[in-house]
Every structure is written in structure tokens, then in C-alpha cells.
Amino acid sequence: MLGFDFFKSANREYNPNNLQETINLFQKERKIQQQRRFEFVKFMIAGKDILDFGSGYAGFLILAQEFAKSVRGVELEEQVAPIYKQHKIPLTRNIADLAGGGGKI
């Protein structure tokens, strides 16, 4: 669980009396950033294959899925796998797997 030290180090606002409120603010901020990133590139990605490195909780890929030819995420964190499965987004945990194990992409 995230502690208040995380929010201090990230220079984010936090409510020391309500950790859940702080987490909700952080999640809202993340969604705004994902939407801004998507709006910036949506016409550049239309009809293209998208590979997002460090794709986290797939927020950008979920938005991009509607415009892109295909989307795929590369993310080391195991706990995000159900999100990718729910949205039918391929998830790769190791870049070498993209090259069929040959080590070159």
C-alpha cells in the first residue's frame, strides 16, 4: 500500500488524515495525464501498430485501441495482467519475447 512518503517524494498533494482520498487524487491525476498524452498523439497513431513500453495499467493503450491498428504493452509488473486480459490487449513481460526469443527486435 502506498504511504505518504511516496506523495511527499513525488511532490503531490496529500491528506495525512485520509490515505484513500490521497490515492483517489493520484489516480485522477494519472487519468488526466493519460488522456492528455492520448489527445496529443491520437491522429499520429491512427491505423498503426502501437507498442507501449512501461505501459503500466494500460490506460493509454485502452484509449489508443480505438484508433490504432493494434496495441501491445510491455510491462514488468505482474499484477496488471488481468487489466490487459479484460481489454483484450496483448501484454509482453520481456522485450526479448517480441523477437521470438532471438534477442533482436
Side-chain angles (χ1 to χ4, degrees):
M1 185 158 94
L2 295 175
F4 291 117
D5 290 340
F6 166 80
F7 294 98
K8 286 180 186 177
S9 66
N11 292 321
R12 289 191 164 86
E13 292 182 28
Y14 69 95
N15 179 347
N17 300 314
N18 189 337
L19 181 57
Q20 188 59 53
E21 180 182 318
T22 302
I23 291 170
N24 291 344
L25 288 171
F26 176 70
Q27 290 172 334
K28 181 179 178 184
E29 178 183 304
R30 184 177 64 205
K31 285 182 183 181
I32 290 169
Q33 290 171 350
Q34 290 166 348
Q35 186 67 39
R36 187 177 306 131
R37 178 179 173 207
F38 171 70
E39 290 297 327
F40 181 73
V41 300
K42 75 178 175 184
F43 295 107
M44 292 182 270
I45 67 171
K48 297 183 180 170
D49 297 312
I50 305 301
L51 178 62
D52 189 13
F53 293 87
S55 52
Y57 288 88
F60 172 76
L61 292 174
I62 292 167
L63 295 170
Q65 202 171 26
E66 186 177 331
F67 286 79
K69 177 181 175 185
S70 70
V71 297
R72 173 181 290 272
V74 177
E75 178 57 55
L76 298 175
E77 183 58 53
E78 291 180 29
Q79 71 181 8
V80 302
I83 297 168
Y84 288 77
K85 187 174 183 175
Q86 174 187 352
H87 292 279
K88 298 181 176 125
I89 296 173
L91 174 62
T92 301
R93 303 227 23 251
N94 184 334
I95 293 174
D97 293 343
L98 295 171
K104 294 182 181 179
I105 298 175

